[in-house]
């Protein structure tokens, strides 16, 4: 009976240690991917785990290590195409590495709300955090906080600490503005995003740089709120001016609303006014006229974020990535002057 009971007993970490000829603390370090373990020791422990068919108790490991195989995502934007695409990619990449993802959406971008979100993720014992919070003030708060786990940030502000990933918003904005210049447009307006948004400031800078290099006049940017409703309002108002021949909208939703406003005012796009956007949301190719825009590889940003975060969690050298370069998508909403 005793022998039968021994065979039925679930192997423990100490059983693995005895078979591998190491201490149970060494087995624990192997399980937690500690970088100090010698390759030959790691191999003996892994072989013992395989022979015994040992299954680590993940709940117990979380109590001992104060972390789980979970990545936290801190998001200050809900329902927008770019962040939603990146989060989906983060979840896919994390799942492939044996990690789950828990997302906390910020109800506000105050220091109190950000602190509450970080504490919530800490209570869930996440192994690391990806921050998708594109406002400058959010990163200023995060920079001053003791987060306690590895942090990777997307759409980062200049000078933010830790691991960072971004798309080259300036290059994308330059490309689309230079496209309009190449078509012969010299009076180009910019429908910008909200103040304090990192992407909005970068896209405005790319637009202004392209105009300055072409020695063309600049107009005060029109501050929007990323919505199609604001774009429609701007189109209705701009129809009264007619001192421009093209508009670069800082995102596709505002560009689509802008074209609607122009159409309601009897202005033909692109025969009278060219319109371009940014982001290449799925519907951009299917509005009329199809929208010229800048395509961003949001899924690639998500994949890179997980790769960098897991390298830091495991104590490995993080992959070195350059900025993701957006690509121009030429469609029918822009035409030669």
């Amino acid at each position: 009976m005793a022998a039968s009971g021994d065979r039925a007993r679930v192997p423990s970490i100490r059983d693995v240690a005895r078979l591998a000829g190491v201490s149970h603390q060494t087995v624990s370090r192997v399980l937690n991917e500690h970088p100090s373990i010698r390759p030959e020791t790691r191999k003996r422990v892994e072989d013992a785990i395989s022979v015994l068919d040992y299954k680590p108790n993940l709940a117990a490991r979380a109590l001992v290590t104060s972390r789980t195989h979970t990545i936290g995502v801190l998001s200050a934007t809900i329902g927008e195409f770019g962040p939603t695409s990146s989060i989906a990619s983060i979840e896919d990449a994390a799942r492939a590495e044996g990690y789950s993802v828990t997302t906390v959406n910020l109800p506000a971008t105050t220091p109190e709300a950000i602190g509450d979100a970080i504490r919530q993720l800490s209570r869930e014992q996440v192994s690391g955090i990806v921050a998708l919070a594109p406002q400058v003030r959010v990163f200023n708060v995060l920079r001053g906080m003791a987060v306690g786990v590895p942090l990777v940030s997307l759409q980062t502000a200049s000078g933010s600490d830790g691991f960072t990933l971004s798309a080259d918003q300036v290059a994308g904005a330059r490309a689309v503005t230079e496209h309009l210049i190449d078509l012969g447009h010299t009076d180009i307006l910019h429908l910008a995003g909200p103040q304090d948004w990192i992407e909005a400031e970068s896209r405005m800078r790319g637009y202004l740089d392209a105009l300055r290099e072409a020695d063309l006049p600049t107009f005060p940017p029109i501050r929007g709120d990323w919505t199609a409703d604001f774009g429609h309002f701007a189109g209705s108002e701009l129809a009264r001016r007619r001192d421009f021949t093209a508009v670069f909208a800082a995102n596709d939703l505002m560009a689509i609303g802008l074209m609607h406003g122009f159409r309601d005012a009897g202005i033909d796009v692109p025969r009278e006014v060219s319109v371009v956007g940014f982001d290449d949301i799925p519907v951009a190719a299917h509005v009329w006229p199809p929208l010229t825009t800048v395509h961003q590889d949001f899924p690639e940003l998500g994949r890179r974020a997980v790769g960098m975060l897991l390298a830091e969690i495991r104590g490995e050298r993080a992959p070195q990535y350059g900025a993701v370069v957006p690509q121009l998508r030429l469609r029918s909403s822009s035409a030669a002057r």
Side-chain angles (χ1 to χ4, degrees), residues 244-298:
F244 59 92
T245 62
V247 183
F248 164 33
N251 77 334
D252 289 345
L253 285 178
M254 289 195 297
I256 290 168
L258 185 72
M259 291 195 298
H260 184 189
F262 284 157
R263 185 167 59 249
D264 286 350
I267 297 174
D268 183 270
V269 176
R271 188 174 60 84
E272 296 178 80
V273 176
S274 287
V275 174
V276 297
F278 205 105
D279 284 340
D280 196 20
I281 63 176
V283 75
H286 304 289
V287 296
W288 188 258
L291 182 64
T292 293
T293 185
V294 177
H295 177 80
Q296 298 208 82
D297 194 344
F298 296 110

Side-chain angles (χ1 to χ4, degrees), residues 16-88:
V16 174
R18 278 193 294 271
L19 183 59
V22 298
S23 68
H24 71 274
Q25 291 94 339
T26 296
V27 176
S28 178
R29 285 194 287 271
V30 170
L31 291 172
N32 290 296
E33 301 173 347
H34 198 281
S36 67
I37 300 297
R38 294 194 301 270
E40 58 271 22
T41 303
R42 184 182 303 277
K43 179 69 164 56
R44 291 208 314 273
V45 171
E46 289 173 346
D47 287 346
I49 289 171
S50 178
V51 168
L52 295 173
D53 194 25
Y54 171 67
K55 301 292 192 300
N57 185 325
L58 295 181
R61 285 178 65 192
L63 290 173
V64 172
T65 64
S66 297
R67 70 183 191 186
T68 62
H69 268 49
T70 303
I71 292 173
V73 174
L74 179 65
S75 177
T77 53
I78 302 173
E80 293 184 12
F81 174 70
T84 299
S85 299
S86 292
I87 290 172

Side-chain angles (χ1 to χ4, degrees), residues 62 92 217 270:
D92 289 343

Side-chain angles (χ1 to χ4, degrees), residues 170 174 177-178 181 204-218:
V170 175
R174 285 175 62 100
T177 306
E178 289 169 354
I181 294 170
M204 186 190 304
R205 195 172 85 204
Y207 155 79
L208 293 172
D209 287 349
L211 290 183
R212 277 194 290 267
E213 289 185 11
D215 197 25
L216 292 177
T218 60

